[in-house]
Amino acid sequence: MAILEVENLSVSFKRYTRGFKQVKSNVISSLSVEVEEGEIMAIVGASGSGKSLLAQAILGILPRNAIVSGGIKYGGEVLTPPRQRALCGREIALVPQSVNSLDPLMRVGEQVRTSVKSGNAAAAQKEVFERYHLDANVEKMYPFQLSGGMARRVLISTAMVSGARVIIADEPTPGLDERSVAEALKHLREFADSRCAVLLITHDIESALKIADRIAVFYAGTTVEISPVENFRGNGEELWHPFSKALWRALPQNGFVPIPGSQPHPDDLPSGCLFAPRCGMASAECGEALPDMRKLRNGSVRCIHAT
Amino acid sequence: MEKSRKLAIFLLLKVLRMATLLAAICFISFLLVKNSPIDPVQAYIGADMVNVGPEQREQIAEYWGLDEPIMLQFSHWAGALLSGDMGTSMVYREPVADIISVRFRHSIALMLAAWILSGIIGFALGAVAAMKKGTLADRIIQWYCYTLASTPTFWMGLLVLMVFSVWLGWFPIGLGVPAGVLTEDITFSERIQHLILPAVTLSIVGVGNVALHTRQKLIDVLGSEYVLFARARGEQGFVLFWRHGLRNIMVPALMLQFASFSELFGGAVLAEQVFSYPGLGQATVEAGIKGDVPLLLGLVLFSAVFVFAGNLIGDILHRLIDPRLREERL
């Protein structure tokens, strides 16, 4: 059963440009993704594809001028703003992207302890620090005294001690050495295996491949394909969406083939399929409407030509 | 060990800086007074000037060394100053150091009261406005602060005086103590009564600045990544403010508060004048108007030390409170 479901989510921002002209920019459009119990769902895509905003939308911490439509369900029930306030930090925890997410004037031990929602906070913090190879004296330190890698491990600790069932990890590994990356990923895997779930937001496809069960490919604020991790192999023959294939082939070990053009800006989205202007398979039909996500064998895809 | 050595160096540098600052202020203010239209002989003799002939006048000038080169005059004055002699006030006929110490005792009560009141009220208003940004409460507080920030102190003083002393009669109209009462008969509560209105005036005017600065700083903090992450962990409202907001605006607020000594002194000059409150500010105005050069120079130096002390305390507190300066990088 899906613990967390996002259905047709759209996020847009109202801005004023030149005087009083109002511009609405769609940062996320009709996005659907869900994560099952015991599963790691990886979300990969270029920066600016709306990955971090998805996390903020789920947790209900989007900026005030954001307009959200569509549905988010947690445990089968709609995640309304009051439920979001009650659940985030308790049932759904975030591992943020930036090491600046630690309060610069609070000792890191205390920051981890305040994330503990039930039980003995001090014991939980000591245990998680031990698990992440953080010395006992680290709890008395301030963020500026930590190395980037230590700060990341502290951030992961805050999520681990919270007792949440879903962790949204937003780029949890940059700045870590190889061993620590492997370890952090292992912990996320263990976390998911204990009947919880992880939404892993990353642009590091290789790491995602190592631990994820399914991978959702993001492009310009929406999902273009959700496929089981097994499909990401060889020359990308088993991937369906042209963008997924292109992304796969752009990896150094898969030929390093770039595709021309760049992701459209949220203010200036093409009508119809968002990838059509850069797509080799595009036809007149592609420009008519944004294709719906449709099921295809063991995954789903947003392309009318995929078979 | 390393830490205390660092602090010693820091303090030594500050003392050195203060010494150079004072030397420069001495020199510049001496030159300014020297080139002002005040004639020292006339200022000294005052109304008796009609009885003094031109020859006598020249003799006095010669006796005082007024015909000597300006640098020599300066070195005489600076030498006396270094040995602790600030001269004698021409208006009060008392040593300048004595006048300043008596006046300062009156003023410090006034300034301290205003400083604490405006600090606390301004901080609270600014914090509320930032936490409720965009709401009616925020708009009212902002409107109030902008109004106050653009209100002249003397005008506010007159207004307060009219309302509370003249119309309502709750407070005495002016002075530091009741008129016509022997010094030993004045009670503490009478002194407080005379202090309240000028202190309130000074703090009302100070609140605006403090509140607007606090609001802006807290809005910056609330937009930071660590507050976003705290929200993601379910913190909101007062808990969020207490854990992350307060902590992060406390240091800049304290720094600002101690850096505001100069505005406080400037405000006190005006407020004391309106309330005829016998403090340093009033003495400054008197000395300026009546051409009391020794007192004026003494006050200039004293206020420089006062403002410098405020900044120094702020700096030291910053080093003690902020862990980024307090604790060594590992």
Side-chain angles (χ1 to χ4, degrees):
Chain A
M1 194 194 97
I3 296 192
L4 188 68
E5 283 171 88
V6 177
E7 249 183 66
N8 270 325
L9 181 77
S10 294
V11 177
S12 53
F13 289 94
K14 254 194 214 159
R15 290 187 297 115
Y16 290 93
T17 56
R18 264 191 228 157
F20 294 104
K21 208 180 150 212
Q22 211 179 51
V23 174
K24 213 172 121 183
S25 50
N26 285 311
V27 197
I28 292 181
S29 33
S30 40
L31 182 156
S32 298
V33 72
E34 82 283 317
V35 55
E36 315 253 327
E37 205 174 87
E39 183 187 51
I40 295 182
M41 167 70 95
I43 292 175
V44 299
S47 48
S49 58
K51 291 175 301 188
S52 295
L53 283 172
L54 169 65
Q56 293 183 16
I58 294 171
L59 292 159
I61 52 171
L62 282 169
R64 261 179 239 206
N65 59 337
I67 306 156
V68 184
S69 69
I72 303 171
K73 282 184 191 168
Y74 174 77
E77 275 179 70
V78 176
L79 203 52
T80 55
R83 262 190 101 213
Q84 271 172 333
R85 279 195 291 278
L87 295 184
C88 76
R90 291 171 189 281
E91 296 277 316
I92 308 171
L94 174 74
V95 178
Q97 184 173 11
S98 163
V99 289
N100 295 332
S101 299
L102 291 170
D103 187 329
L105 298 184
M106 199 189 229
R107 294 182 196 275
V108 294
E110 198 184 344
Q111 304 200 41
V112 173
R113 289 194 290 276
T114 53
S115 309
V116 181
K117 302 297 175 187
S118 63
N120 186 337
Q125 177 252 310
K126 284 202 165 46
E127 192 202 310
V128 80
F129 271 26
E130 213 164 285
R131 187 140 61 100
Y132 286 108
H133 312 293
L134 292 162
D135 290 339
N137 64 342
V138 173
E139 65 174 76
K140 290 242 158 46
M141 290 185 188
Y142 289 94
F144 77 95
Q145 295 168 307
L146 304 182
S147 68
M150 284 158 91
R152 289 244 169 255
R153 280 178 276 161
V154 170
L155 287 174
I156 296 174
S157 303
T158 60
M160 289 296 175
V161 295
S162 65
R165 289 191 63 213
V166 177
I167 286 183
I168 302 173
D170 190 359
E171 306 278 7
T173 53
L176 289 179
D177 60 83
E178 217 168 304
R179 213 186 95 230
S180 304
V181 170
E183 209 156 308
L185 294 178
K186 194 185 94 199
H187 288 299
L188 285 176
R189 185 70 255 176
E190 284 168 6
F191 177 80
D193 289 340
S194 57
R195 301 195 60 228
C196 296
V198 175
L199 205 59
L200 175 66
I201 297 172
T202 181
H203 57 246
D204 179 5
I205 302 183
E206 283 170 68
S207 303
L209 287 175
K210 279 182 207 149
I211 58 159
D213 300 293
R214 288 189 293 162
I215 293 181
V217 180
F218 261 44
Y219 183 78
T222 192
T223 39
V224 292
E225 168 161 1
I226 299 175
S227 279
V229 72
E230 311 82 84
N231 291 16
F232 287 78
R233 65 177 173 208
N235 237 339
E237 304 87 356
E238 284 162 72
L239 297 172
W240 303 305
H241 196 281
F243 177 68
S244 318
K245 287 179 199 271
L247 191 67
W248 179 249
R249 290 195 199 116
L251 288 178
Q253 64 273 38
N254 298 334
F256 221 180
V257 194
I259 46 168
S262 59
Q263 189 170 252
H265 192 269
D267 285 347
D268 190 24
L269 293 180
S271 61
C273 174
L274 299 176
F275 187 63
R278 300 169 72 188
C279 181
M281 291 161 71
S283 59
E285 215 183 327
C286 295
E288 279 166 16
L290 181 67
D292 283 327
M293 260 332 235
R294 61 192 167 92
K295 292 240 178 286
L296 198 64
R297 289 192 292 275
N298 51 359
S300 47
V301 66
R302 195 191 289 279
C303 174
I304 50 173
H305 298 297
T307 43
Chain B
M1 226 32 240
E2 179 67 18
K3 241 194 268 180
S4 57
R5 226 191 75 203
K6 261 189 173 171
L7 192 68
I9 294 174
F10 165 79
L11 286 176
L12 197 74
L13 281 176
K14 286 284 177 192
V15 168
L16 211 68
R17 188 183 239 180
M18 169 130 168
T20 51
L21 176 75
L22 283 182
I25 287 178
C26 280
F27 190 64
I28 291 169
S29 36
F30 185 83
L31 281 187
L32 281 176
V33 169
K34 211 50 215 169
N35 288 303
S36 72
I38 298 171
D39 174 11
V41 179
Q42 183 165 8
Y44 179 70
I45 295 165
D48 292 336
M49 203 62 196
V50 280
N51 302 326
V52 178
E55 291 85 12
Q56 275 179 303
R57 215 179 141 147
E58 250 165 59
Q59 277 178 335
I60 296 173
E62 201 180 326
Y63 175 72
W64 278 351
L66 290 176
D67 50 353
E68 288 173 12
I70 193 159
M71 287 315 289
L72 204 63
Q73 289 185 35
F74 177 69
S75 68
H76 287 322
W77 177 69
L81 199 65
L82 280 178
S83 64
D85 180 11
M86 294 175 87
T88 308
S89 160
M90 292 168 179
V91 177
Y92 298 97
R93 306 280 163 186
E94 272 177 65
V96 169
D98 292 357
I99 297 175
I100 290 181
S101 78
V102 170
R103 292 292 181 128
F104 181 64
R105 257 173 274 159
H106 286 277
S107 277
I108 192 71
L110 172 64
M111 289 193 279
L112 205 66
W115 186 72
I116 293 173
L117 271 181
S118 63
I120 293 175
I121 298 173
F123 187 82
L125 283 181
V128 169
M131 290 302 286
K132 307 266 174 208
K133 188 188 161 204
T135 63
L136 188 66
D138 177 32
R139 260 174 242 179
I140 291 173
I141 290 174
Q142 273 197 77
W143 172 82
Y144 177 73
C145 290
Y146 280 121
T147 310
L148 287 184
S150 45
T151 304
T153 312
F154 72 89
W155 184 80
M156 180 55 79
L158 288 174
L159 207 68
V160 167
L161 203 59
M162 265 163 62
V163 174
F164 294 99
S165 297
V166 180
W167 293 349
L168 296 171
W170 292 353
F171 295 99
I173 288 187
L175 307 176
V177 290
V181 181
L182 287 177
T183 314
E184 50 268 34
D185 294 340
I186 300 167
T187 62
F188 182 68
S189 72
E190 277 171 333
R191 283 179 192 278
I192 295 289
Q193 259 203 324
H194 281 81
L195 182 71
I196 290 176
L197 279 193
V200 164
T201 304
L202 258 187
S203 35
I204 287 179
V205 176
V207 159
N209 253 331
V210 179
L212 288 174
H213 272 107
T214 307
R215 177 180 178 274
Q216 193 48 48
K217 189 65 205 165
L218 187 54
I219 284 174
D220 291 347
V221 167
L222 291 178
S224 70
E225 288 176 277
Y226 54 88
V227 166
L228 188 71
F229 182 45
R231 289 219 170 100
R233 284 180 288 169
E235 290 179 18
Q236 51 189 313
F238 187 73
V239 173
L240 184 73
F241 171 72
W242 187 252
R243 275 197 198 146
H244 303 289
L246 187 63
R247 199 181 288 262
N248 283 283
I249 54 171
M250 210 55 209
V251 171
L254 272 179
M255 293 283 285
L256 185 77
Q257 191 66 0
F258 279 98
S260 72
F261 273 27
S262 61
E263 283 150 54
L264 197 63
F265 198 90
V269 170
L270 297 166
E272 287 178 8
Q273 195 56 25
V274 172
F275 291 95
S276 317
Y277 189 84
L280 277 182
Q282 204 199 24
T284 312
V285 176
E286 290 273 290
I289 291 173
K290 298 194 176 153
D292 189 341
V293 176
L295 184 57
L296 198 57
L297 285 178
L299 283 166
V300 166
L301 290 183
F302 181 80
S303 58
V305 173
F306 181 70
V307 171
F308 189 88
N311 283 310
L312 181 65
I313 297 171
D315 274 359
I316 293 174
L317 276 181
H318 187 194
R319 292 179 77 89
L320 292 180
I321 295 174
D322 194 330
R324 286 166 291 196
L325 294 177
R326 187 182 62 208
E327 296 193 13
E328 302 291 319
R329 191 172 279 276
L330 296 173

